mmCIF file of all heavy atoms in Angstrom:
data_model
loop_
_atom_site.group_PDB
_atom_site.id
_atom_site.type_symbol
_atom_site.label_atom_id
_atom_site.label_comp_id
_atom_site.label_asym_id
_atom_site.label_seq_id
_atom_site.Cartn_x
_atom_site.Cartn_y
_atom_site.Cartn_z
ATOM 1 N N GLY Z 4 83.055 97.969 120.437
ATOM 2 C CA GLY Z 4 82.080 97.889 119.365
ATOM 3 C C GLY Z 4 82.766 98.237 118.021
ATOM 4 O O GLY Z 4 82.534 97.528 117.019
ATOM 5 N N LEU Z 8 83.398 95.734 114.740
ATOM 6 C CA LEU Z 8 82.966 95.984 113.316
ATOM 7 C C LEU Z 8 84.097 95.902 112.375
ATOM 8 O O LEU Z 8 84.001 95.383 111.300
ATOM 9 C CB LEU Z 8 82.328 97.408 113.283
ATOM 10 C CG LEU Z 8 80.976 97.518 113.977
ATOM 11 C CD1 LEU Z 8 80.486 99.019 113.904
ATOM 12 C CD2 LEU Z 8 79.896 96.622 113.304
ATOM 13 N N GLY Z 34 91.526 103.042 121.808
ATOM 14 C CA GLY Z 34 91.324 103.733 123.063
ATOM 15 C C GLY Z 34 92.424 104.702 123.367
ATOM 16 O O GLY Z 34 92.205 105.836 123.790
ATOM 17 N N ALA Z 65 97.811 91.444 124.107
ATOM 18 C CA ALA Z 65 97.219 90.862 122.911
ATOM 19 C C ALA Z 65 98.229 90.534 121.832
ATOM 20 O O ALA Z 65 98.164 89.480 121.218
ATOM 21 C CB ALA Z 65 96.174 91.891 122.328
ATOM 22 N N PHE Z 89 98.604 74.100 124.979
ATOM 23 C CA PHE Z 89 98.606 75.042 126.088
ATOM 24 C C PHE Z 89 99.979 75.264 126.670
ATOM 25 O O PHE Z 89 100.430 76.388 126.915
ATOM 26 C CB PHE Z 89 97.619 74.538 127.216
ATOM 27 C CG PHE Z 89 97.576 75.509 128.393
ATOM 28 C CD1 PHE Z 89 96.889 76.674 128.335
ATOM 29 C CD2 PHE Z 89 98.265 75.132 129.577
ATOM 30 C CE1 PHE Z 89 96.831 77.525 129.381
ATOM 31 C CE2 PHE Z 89 98.270 76.008 130.668
ATOM 32 C CZ PHE Z 89 97.501 77.196 130.559
ATOM 33 N N ALA Z 119 95.380 104.816 109.005
ATOM 34 C CA ALA Z 119 94.932 105.250 107.735
ATOM 35 C C ALA Z 119 93.578 104.674 107.351
ATOM 36 O O ALA Z 119 92.721 105.481 106.802
ATOM 37 C CB ALA Z 119 95.956 104.861 106.669
ATOM 38 N N SER Z 124 88.218 105.879 106.178
ATOM 39 C CA SER Z 124 87.011 105.031 106.045
ATOM 40 C C SER Z 124 85.867 105.729 105.306
ATOM 41 O O SER Z 124 85.174 105.127 104.419
ATOM 42 C CB SER Z 124 86.576 104.550 107.382
ATOM 43 O OG SER Z 124 86.329 105.562 108.287
ATOM 44 N N GLN Z 146 93.944 89.607 92.947
ATOM 45 C CA GLN Z 146 94.890 88.817 92.012
ATOM 46 C C GLN Z 146 96.049 88.251 92.859
ATOM 47 O O GLN Z 146 96.585 89.023 93.708
ATOM 48 C CB GLN Z 146 95.363 89.711 90.906
ATOM 49 C CG GLN Z 146 96.174 88.929 89.847
ATOM 50 C CD GLN Z 146 96.616 89.856 88.704
ATOM 51 O OE1 GLN Z 146 97.310 90.859 88.966
ATOM 52 N NE2 GLN Z 146 96.196 89.539 87.497
ATOM 53 N N ALA Z 171 84.830 86.955 70.587
ATOM 54 C CA ALA Z 171 85.398 85.632 70.899
ATOM 55 C C ALA Z 171 85.341 85.287 72.378
ATOM 56 O O ALA Z 171 85.722 84.220 72.842
ATOM 57 C CB ALA Z 171 86.764 85.506 70.401
ATOM 58 N N ARG Z 213 107.184 96.884 94.461
ATOM 59 C CA ARG Z 213 105.806 96.618 94.141
ATOM 60 C C ARG Z 213 105.617 95.146 93.792
ATOM 61 O O ARG Z 213 106.433 94.490 93.170
ATOM 62 C CB ARG Z 213 105.371 97.463 92.944
ATOM 63 C CG ARG Z 213 105.141 98.941 93.253
ATOM 64 C CD ARG Z 213 104.021 99.115 94.189
ATOM 65 N NE ARG Z 213 102.726 98.712 93.571
ATOM 66 C CZ ARG Z 213 101.633 98.485 94.211
ATOM 67 N NH1 ARG Z 213 101.577 98.568 95.521
ATOM 68 N NH2 ARG Z 213 100.549 98.127 93.584
ATOM 69 N N TYR Z 219 105.981 86.462 86.197
ATOM 70 C CA TYR Z 219 107.282 87.156 86.009
ATOM 71 C C TYR Z 219 108.396 86.403 86.741
ATOM 72 O O TYR Z 219 109.573 86.621 86.423
ATOM 73 C CB TYR Z 219 107.240 88.570 86.553
ATOM 74 C CG TYR Z 219 106.386 89.538 85.747
ATOM 75 C CD1 TYR Z 219 105.691 89.121 84.570
ATOM 76 C CD2 TYR Z 219 106.313 90.864 86.118
ATOM 77 C CE1 TYR Z 219 104.927 90.000 83.821
ATOM 78 C CE2 TYR Z 219 105.516 91.770 85.313
ATOM 79 C CZ TYR Z 219 104.845 91.309 84.231
ATOM 80 O OH TYR Z 219 104.109 92.186 83.414
ATOM 81 N N ILE Z 278 103.716 110.995 98.468
ATOM 82 C CA ILE Z 278 102.583 111.953 98.599
ATOM 83 C C ILE Z 278 102.740 113.058 97.634
ATOM 84 O O ILE Z 278 101.799 113.470 96.966
ATOM 85 C CB ILE Z 278 102.504 112.401 100.054
ATOM 86 C CG1 ILE Z 278 102.174 111.232 100.993
ATOM 87 C CG2 ILE Z 278 101.453 113.523 100.153
ATOM 88 C CD1 ILE Z 278 102.200 111.617 102.474
ATOM 89 N N ILE Z 282 100.186 114.050 94.466
ATOM 90 C CA ILE Z 282 99.602 115.382 94.367
ATOM 91 C C ILE Z 282 99.967 116.014 93.004
ATOM 92 O O ILE Z 282 99.116 116.645 92.344
ATOM 93 C CB ILE Z 282 100.072 116.268 95.562
ATOM 94 C CG1 ILE Z 282 99.541 115.724 96.841
ATOM 95 C CG2 ILE Z 282 99.667 117.700 95.314
ATOM 96 C CD1 ILE Z 282 100.083 116.471 98.058
ATOM 97 N N GLY Z 300 111.183 89.592 80.248
ATOM 98 C CA GLY Z 300 112.497 89.080 80.593
ATOM 99 C C GLY Z 300 113.559 90.054 80.350
ATOM 100 O O GLY Z 300 113.363 91.061 79.610
#
Side-chain angles (χ1 to χ4, degrees):
L8 290 176
F89 179 75
S124 56
Q146 188 178 58
R213 286 293 297 163
Y219 289 2
I278 295 173
I282 294 175

